[in-house]
Amino acid sequence: MYYIYMLRCKDNSIYTGITTNIERRMSEHFSKSEKCAKYTLSHNPIKLEKVWETSTKSLASKLEYHIKRLPKIKKESLAKGTSEIKDVLSNKIDETLYNIVKI
């Protein structure tokens, strides 16, 4: 499985990434290990907002790509759960290939 996740940072920005092991990746971000993203080194992640899972790296990368290019207001609606990926990306991806993971 591949996971696409959204992290809330201290400055209220949202970081989006992919991983095969969500627990390990969160540990890397929150502990600021040498494997954490450059972005989270300087933006201090404070909360895991949203996680989706999918079966292939290609599908995960596609969702990550499209989320990263959304305007802030649409990222916020995804993170807060007021919108689903079908609402903001319906013409770009097949939302049935992704499942929300409860966190």
Side-chain angles (χ1 to χ4, degrees):
M1 273 301 153
Y2 288 84
Y3 301 92
I4 307 91
Y5 59 90
M6 298 175 83
L7 281 177
R8 174 78 54 192
C9 296
K10 191 172 183 178
D11 64 355
N12 208 33
S13 63
I14 297 174
Y15 173 80
T16 304
I18 63 172
T19 187
T20 56
N21 184 323
I22 198 73
E23 291 83 12
R24 174 191 46 80
R25 192 65 179 133
M26 291 308 104
S27 177
E28 291 168 353
H29 283 305
F30 288 106
S31 70
K32 296 188 180 266
S33 81
E34 62 184 37
K35 292 187 176 183
C36 81
K38 283 188 206 178
Y39 189 87
T40 59
L41 269 176
S42 61
H43 289 82
N44 296 323
I46 57 171
K47 181 182 178 190
L48 178 61
E49 291 279 4
K50 197 77 160 191
V51 180
W52 295 269
E53 67 179 5
T54 193
S55 59
T56 68
K57 185 176 184 179
S58 175
L59 287 170
S61 295
K62 188 173 186 177
L63 181 57
E64 177 194 33
Y65 172 86
H66 287 297
I67 290 174
K68 284 185 171 187
R69 278 144 188 81
L70 287 173
K72 172 82 164 141
I73 195 161
K74 289 188 177 186
K75 287 181 187 179
E76 288 291 345
S77 69
L78 279 176
K80 293 177 181 176
T82 56
S83 292
E84 299 295 327
I85 55 175
K86 66 180 179 181
D87 300 328
V88 294
L89 296 171
S90 62
N91 58 339
K92 301 194 184 317
I93 63 163
D94 179 358
E95 69 276 356
T96 64
L97 300 173
Y98 304 91
N99 297 309
I100 294 176
V101 176
K102 293 198 180 220
I103 50 174

